Amino acid sequence: MMTKKITRHIKTSGLAILLAASLNACKKDFLEIQPKGKVIAQATNDYNLMFNNGNILLNNMDVSIPLGDEVIAMDNYFSSAALPRTQRLFRYDDIVYDNGVQANEMLNMMNTLYIFNKIAAEVMSSTGGTDQQKKALLAEAKADRAFNNFWLINMFGKPYNPATAATDPGYPIVTAADVTETSFTRASVQEMYDFIVKDLTEAIPSLPVAISSRGRMGKAAAEVLLGKVYVFMGKYAEAKTQLDAAVTDLASTGSATTLTTVALYDYNVTLVPGGTWGYSTATATTFFSGMPTQAIHTEYICCRQLATSAWFTINSELVMSPQTTALFTSSDKRLNLFSTKPYLVNTAYPLAGAMRRNGPAGVQYGETIPDMYLLRAECRARLNDLTGAKADLEILRVKRMSAADATVPTTLTQLQMIQFVLNERLRENAMQGMRWWDMRRLSADPLFASATYTHQLYSATGTLSATYPLRPERLTMRFTQSVIDQNPGMQNNP
Amino acid sequence: MQLNALRVMRLTAFILLVSVLHVSAAGTSQTVTLTAKNASLEKVLGSVKAQTGYFFFYKPSQLKEAKPVTITAQNLPLDAFLKEVFHHQPLEYSIENQTIFIRAKTPGTAPAATDSLAAGPGAIHGRVRDSLTRPLEGATVRLLPGNAQTLTDKSGEFSIGDIKPGRYFLLVSFVGYETVRVPLQVKEGENTIAVVGMKRAVSSLDEITVFNNGYQTLSRERSAGSFSKADMSIVNNRSTSMNIVQRLDGLIPGLVLNNAPIASDINKPDPLTRSGILIRGLTTINAARAPLYVVDGIPQNDVSDVNPNDVQEVTVLKDAAAASIWGSRASNGVIVISTKKGNRNGPLKVEYDGFVNLQGKPQLDYLPFMNSRDFIQAMREQFADPAYLVANTYAGANAGFNGQVAIAPHERIFYNQARGLINAATANAQLDSLAAIDNRQQIKDIWYRNASLMNHTISVRGGTANYGIYGSFAYTNTLDNTPGNKSNTYKLNVRQDFTVSKNVSAYLITNLVNYVTGAARPAAVTNRFLPYQLFRDASGKSISMPWLYRTDSMTALYQTKSGINLDYNPLDEMGYGNTKGNNLRANITGGVTIKLIKGLRFEGVYGFIKGASKTTDYDAQNSYPVRNEVVQFTVASTTAGGLPTYYLPTTGGKLVTSNANQQNWTVRNQLVYDFTSGDGQHQVALLAGQEATEEVNNNNTSTVRGYSPQLLTSQPVDYVFLGTTGLTTPVYTSSITSSKLGNDAYLETEATYRTTSFYGNAAYTWKGKYTVNGSLRNDQSNLFGQDKSAQNKPIWSAGLSWQLGKEKWMLPVSWVSYLALRATYGLTGNQPRGSLATTYDILSAATSTSFAGGAGFLLSSYGNARLTWESTLTTNLGVDFMLLKGRLGGSLDYYLKKTSNLIGPMPANPFSGTASVTGNLGNMTNHGIEARISSVNVSGRHFGWNATFTLAWNKNKVTKLYVASTITSALTMLSTRYVEGYSSFAQYAYQFIGLDTLGDPWIRLADKTATKSPSAVLAKDLVYMGTYQPAVNGGLSNTFRFNNFQLTLNMVYNFAFMLKRDAPGLNANTVALAGRTSPNPGTFFGNMYEAFNDRWKKPGDEATTNIPSYVASGTLSTTRRTLGYYASGDINYFNAAYIKMRDVNLLYTLPRSILARIKTDAVTLRFTVSNFMLWKANKYGIDPEFHDAVAGTRVAPTGQHSISIGANIKF
């Protein structure tokens, strides 16, 4: 009897314990656990930290490098280039990518655009931040989005021409972060530029002047960008207003840390043998890697960089043309970034003046101080403020060459001054892909529209072996076949 | 003392009874095994009580009238036993509630005279029954000694008369049952009664009389599901692996173990390429492919903790019925493992099992590389071409990244000659001396050792009426082929079963496993290394070879700049570092069963797994990797004679400590209802339950430098400076452009995974012939970033089974003894899981010194709101049969699995932000046939022969695949494994025609034109070459018994798959047919395949060879031709079919006469030889088990022709 009671007791209590254990597992919050190291963005600070993304900072945007007219190719290296992409780009071929191959320059931009669109769409309803913080992050997302869209329209839309922009097919305006979206239509070039300008003008008032790191888009950077967009639209007065504001704001971006200090480097000190960057002529057959890395490079206002280009380290196929080399004065320290010798070869290229860029491995394509001054110099020249243009040019030139050579002649006409600025852009950015964007905008500029461009291939003995003229339709890249396949009805560029 | 007790027990057992508590799974009656001669009834009842736990209720005076009892019973059900015992007694009995009441026989109830058994004096009468007390007709009964022999009749009875008094043995045998040997004594004028119970043999034909799905045990007749059990007698005797799944090879139809290198890591299948264990083909591309393992009711990811000696049985569940029980984790099939239990009321049994498996060294000669003479000759031919030195200049060879440049000794001679440093005669003499050296013996002796696997397991079984215990301790020592590696495993496993009360029972399994591993720093040397470079000189001194990393002049320069020695000596290096691992795992499983009301019981299963693993990697300061890293972070002095600046510690080594902690638990509560109507017409089994699991994995790794193992101290490193600014001008850089040191001081990851599930299943059987099964389950988990609605997808199954053989109209068909048809249909699925499949965007934390605060987020997974379950509809039709009185039996299954919404990387619209997102990318079907046929070919007194044949055929097809655009690039197509309309693991090849007069390969395109142009080929020009996953496979086991010897031959076969050959020119593994063929810095490569000599050398050779010419300029070669046209050409794909003798086991069981003398119950000695290739389709000498299907390269075979010796001793 007693035993029975005890047994029953054990039975009941045992059952109760087991049921309790199982009920615990049935609780609703049992499955609601926050995994460590992973987050679904909710707090305002989550959105803030989404900008701290190495993929925004460093990228693969090298498509324009082989396209510039300052580039020539040397045959013995060119034909053995590992990927057909280099040859096709250089030859201005219609089709650069085989079927099934994606264009990385488009994907890179779309990848980060997704992040900016996500922040723009969600940050205002995030939790824990002040309204001002949210607005600043929204503004930053819009400014970053404008940066990406500016690249995209310049790759896939025709150069901005006010007369035809409204009908020229551009690029889809994407504002939603949704990978299941399948329907996209190309906006016109005008619509895209309007959208870029709108994003930037809305963003600038809310953006902070002082930045936390140069990887983040602050007010000065957005102003430089808007100035640049206006220059590309041929609106030099509007551009100058933005660039003036940027020069002013630059003084207050913050100099407290190595991540925020902004200043021009004096190449006469840094980029000479025995200089602070450890430059040595021994790099003639290899490459120079002593320039400060992106995060601490003080000439960056907003850092966006091509991570490493094989063209400036181990490849020898693309070199600077003798005509471009001739634009440098001998005291120009920027020449120290070039070598007459192919990689790991002790004899010079067979063509006099052909120079291989041998460093730094990365390419700056974000907003920089030199670009800010060069853009303003061009605006001033365009607006016939030649003294102002000369002053802006000399701010940069004095940091790049001997003081004597740095002086810009006072005798230049307006057109000559504009040309001088364009040549200075070339000297500053040669072989870095910047020239291509200038070639595009100049094609729509009445002053330079008549210019034609031809790429030249030299044989192993230094004789001209082939030429590839740039046809107007190739100022615009074609979408890859898979993009067209996935967007039925979308018109590809011719 | 203990020995004495043991002896007493043994004596009791011998004289009076041998008792085995036999708990049949269906919970039917207890059985009794007893041999008694003129024993008192009281004594007999006592032993019955001890064996069954039943109590007797009687007045002592009643037994005074009782007659002495003489009986021989083997596994006889209690009721039948009692009937025999009380047959001639003046007493009768009745059983109520585990109590046996005895009273005096009332007049008139005396049993009818046993006329049917009546016979003359000196006779034996008997009955033969199976474990369910059904009479066995046709059993052979022999009387030993003598020739008397008879068969049992329809009611299982037999009689042998005219027997001289004396001691005899009855030998009763029946196909499919264990032969029983019953000692008895025949007395003059007396009838001796023998009742013999027969047990199914373990390896019997229809071994599945009951099956265990991990949740419940059902009789075979009452389930419609498709499952197979492994023949444990083969599994137990396979002493070549301590992995239970590896021991199942060839025994289960539909279970494919692919030992090929690409698929062979059976415990950790890589989701993308591995297919090491597949049940019924591939049903997923990106989700896990391995089956679910269930050990004693607890789902586990890994079975390496299980000691195969502890395994009682293995059941493989294959169809939808399985998955709907175990949920979404089971759609790849389930392997259910249950471990051994203790004996109730039995004497303490001790068992030892041990083996040593000797595997020898890997077959290095299998890789067809050149010897020194041929190699130097080939190099002479290369350098003799004037174009060689133009294309491969000394300057080019002498420059490289990170200060690393390898110029091999033979190259140095050629370059020295070319640079005019030595004359041709000197060069020739030096080359001749290299050609005379052969390092292969040294490679074999120094870098390899004989591998072996040794295991000792000692186990104990015992128990009382209310308690049973099984315990085992195992020690496993694994010696692999690499010197310095250590691996010891200690496993302790204890299972205890408690009967708490009449209605409550419980069990507790405690399994502790300790893995202790170690490794030195051996170099990875094979015959692919330059064949002339010795490792030890004649005096036994180890040879330095700094040239492997850089030329002597550069070594000298860097040593001067850094002040650090940069010598490299591979043999000395071996002792400059070590890895030590210690992994402790505890698997604790407990369970309770409570009988609530008649037929209804509650069952709980509770599992807890705790694992802690620590690994340390230590590299001393004098080790090359540490010296090398220090130099990368050293800046030379700018003044002559000044000291270099070191940014990393120059004393002490580098220590990396990794900790992996795991904590899992499972809680399962279920209610089970079993009902059988009084007339047995209706049988119902219902089960419903809830399960919750949690799995937490935490890993952390820390790295320190300047570590002193003696003082246990380390030195600080400036991660901020070295990570942000880094060094741009160190002695040599660590990356292309600079030396930067990422913050590796501490890394930690943690993942928690929880599930909660509800499930139920029901089975109804009518008249014992018609069964309906159904099951339903819903799983929910904490899949992060998942929309709740995506989780509510119940999976289910329904099944029918028909015991055709029991129909009346089948009874006259006497050659069919069992026939059943079954069918199941159900839906199973894979939940979108893993960090890549989410409905919301997932951010993962990242650190970067480029941003203020150093912290940020990366977008690690794009949210895909349209993501849905990967679901598989499975149909299974099966038939089980037993023919010719049990001589031939088996089963046949057909299945069709249609998988839709395969989860995988799916092309997204590039405008959306990404080119690829985890989504539902297509559909796939599998259908196939599985058969298992067992036969008893000879069943004689001295000789027996059984055979089992398994066959599985699987046809897999990707029926729909969403891709961004059709693949048009031939190169992309060559590496694509999933293509719509083709089987998974598809392979494609060029249509090779032959070589031209330059020795360049030509191919035919789809439009029938021929070309050698490198850019002319598109995907459509390739031809399909089949799949590299075997579509047909299985095994054939033959067991021969001759008296005390048993010989088992287990064959496995794989058919219907294709592999790519390691053709010259395929890659640097075989030989690069262009440019420099020297090793990369720091690698022990450089040799070439012998087939290099058979290459095209001069015009006209194209008539006799297909191997392209060697072209000195790599650039010229790639612009002129594509070597892949030959190497990946159709002629280099081969039929990979093979048949292997997996193992041959010879068993010898010691005869009883000897056992009695050495006081043991059983001694079995084993001898095994394993892995003999019996037949292979290819003519290249390639063993498909040692071929990397994707890379197309060979791996030196290991473990072939291995020998094992082992013993099993039972006390």
Side-chain angles (χ1 to χ4, degrees), chain B residues 266-290:
Chain B
I266 62 166
N267 288 317
K268 297 173 187 70
D270 180 294
L272 289 177
T273 51
R274 299 224 186 267
S275 50
I277 299 183
L278 286 184
I279 294 178
R280 289 190 166 175
L282 184 74
T283 47
T284 182
I285 292 181
N286 292 285
R289 296 167 177 192

Side-chain angles (χ1 to χ4, degrees), chain A residues 18 22 25 30-33 36 39 49 52-53 80 99 110-111 114 118 179-180 287 289 314 343 485 487, chain B residues 401 602 606 669 692 728 736-737 750 754 782 788 841 843 845 855 857-858 862-864 909 911 913 965 968 1115:
Chain A
L18 297 174
S22 64
F30 176 68
L31 299 179
E32 309 279 330
I33 48 169
K36 294 180 180 164
V39 159
L49 291 176
N52 292 0
N53 180 333
S80 65
N99 273 9
M110 294 313 296
N111 275 328
Y114 183 95
K118 180 179 169 64
V179 293
T180 63
F287 50 87
S289 57
I314 58 171
Y343 178 67
D485 285 351
N487 290 279
Chain B
F401 300 131
F602 165 84
Y606 313 97
N669 294 307
T728 50
I736 288 183
T737 55
E750 185 173 303
R754 285 182 181 172
N782 68 316
K788 284 266 154 37
D841 292 328
L843 309 174
F857 283 133
L858 294 177
Y862 291 99
N864 180 356
N909 195 310
F911 291 121
S965 53
T968 50
T1115 311

Side-chain angles (χ1 to χ4, degrees), chain B residues 220 226 253 280 318 820-822 876-881 889-895 928-933 951:
Chain B
R220 180 53 170 132
S226 175
R280 289 190 166 175
K318 297 186 280 198
L821 301 178
R822 42 191 170 75
N876 192 89
L877 301 172
V879 55
D880 301 318
F881 57 90
S891 63
L892 196 66
D893 278 86
Y894 166 80
Y895 63 87
I929 292 170
E930 286 162 9
R932 184 180 55 84
I933 296 168
L951 170 84

Side-chain angles (χ1 to χ4, degrees), chain B residues 240-259:
Chain B
T240 47
S241 167
M242 283 301 282
N243 185 306
I244 182 70
V245 177
Q246 197 66 47
R247 288 191 184 192
L248 299 178
D249 195 5
L251 301 179
I252 306 269
L255 172 71
V256 183
L257 296 186
N258 191 338
N259 287 325

Side-chain angles (χ1 to χ4, degrees), chain B residues 762-782:
Chain B
Y764 168 72
T765 305
W766 183 49
K767 287 187 166 176
K769 288 190 280 198
Y770 312 102
T771 298
V772 185
N773 287 162
S775 57
L776 186 68
R777 179 172 173 125
N778 188 17
D779 289 331
Q780 298 211 339
S781 70
N782 68 316

Side-chain angles (χ1 to χ4, degrees), chain A residues 7 10-11 14-15 18-19 21-23 25-26 29-41 45-46 49-55 57 76 79-80 98-102 106-107 110-112 114-115 118 122 171-172 174 176-184 186 212-216 259 277-278 287 289-291 293-296 308 313-314 343-344 346 361 479 481-483 485-487 490, chain B residues 395-396 399-401 500-504 592 594-596 602 604 606 665 667 669 690 692-694 724-725 728-729 733 736-738 740 750 752-756 758 780-786 788 791 835 840-846 848-860 862-866 907-915 917 963-969 972 1115 1118-1119:
Chain A
T7 315
I10 290 172
K11 213 188 285 177
L15 205 59
L18 297 174
L19 282 176
S22 64
L23 282 175
C26 296
D29 58 358
F30 176 68
L31 299 179
E32 309 279 330
I33 48 169
Q34 174 80 22
K36 294 180 180 164
K38 303 251 191 266
V39 159
I40 293 174
N45 194 43
D46 294 340
L49 291 176
M50 281 173 75
F51 288 107
N52 292 0
N53 180 333
N55 296 334
L57 211 65
N76 43 343
S79 8
S80 65
D98 290 327
N99 273 9
V101 180
Q102 300 280 359
M106 174 177 156
L107 286 183
M110 294 313 296
N111 275 328
T112 47
Y114 183 95
I115 296 171
K118 180 179 169 64
E122 298 172 8
Y171 192 86
V174 184
D178 179 6
V179 293
T180 63
E181 181 57 59
T182 53
S183 171
F184 297 92
R186 292 178 73 178
S212 63
S213 75
R214 74 190 75 251
R216 304 285 295 263
L259 296 180
W277 288 349
F287 50 87
S289 57
M291 199 177 266
T293 50
Q294 64 279 353
I296 54 170
T308 305
T313 49
I314 58 171
Y343 178 67
L344 298 182
N346 273 315
F479 287 110
Q481 191 55 41
S482 54
V483 170
D485 285 351
Q486 282 192 83
N487 290 279
M490 184 173 283
Chain B
F401 300 131
V500 180
S501 71
K502 198 172 69 179
N503 291 328
V504 180
V592 61
I594 303 168
K595 289 179 188 158
L596 301 171
F602 165 84
Y606 313 97
W665 56 257
V667 170
N669 294 307
Q690 187 263 344
T693 66
E694 184 187 73
T724 317
T725 311
T728 50
T729 54
T733 57
I736 288 183
T737 55
S738 62
K740 280 193 175 184
E750 185 173 303
T752 303
Y753 182 63
R754 285 182 181 172
T755 64
T756 169
F758 296 89
Q780 298 211 339
S781 70
N782 68 316
L783 291 179
F784 183 56
Q786 288 279 321
K788 284 266 154 37
Q791 297 213 358
S835 59
Y840 304 115
D841 292 328
I842 303 294
L843 309 174
S844 60
S848 168
T849 48
S850 297
F851 296 104
F857 283 133
L858 294 177
L859 185 65
S860 63
Y862 291 99
N864 180 356
R866 295 192 193 165
N909 195 310
F911 291 121
S912 70
T914 177
V917 63
V963 287
S965 53
T966 323
I967 297 169
T968 50
S969 150
T972 311
T1115 311
T1118 50
T1119 48

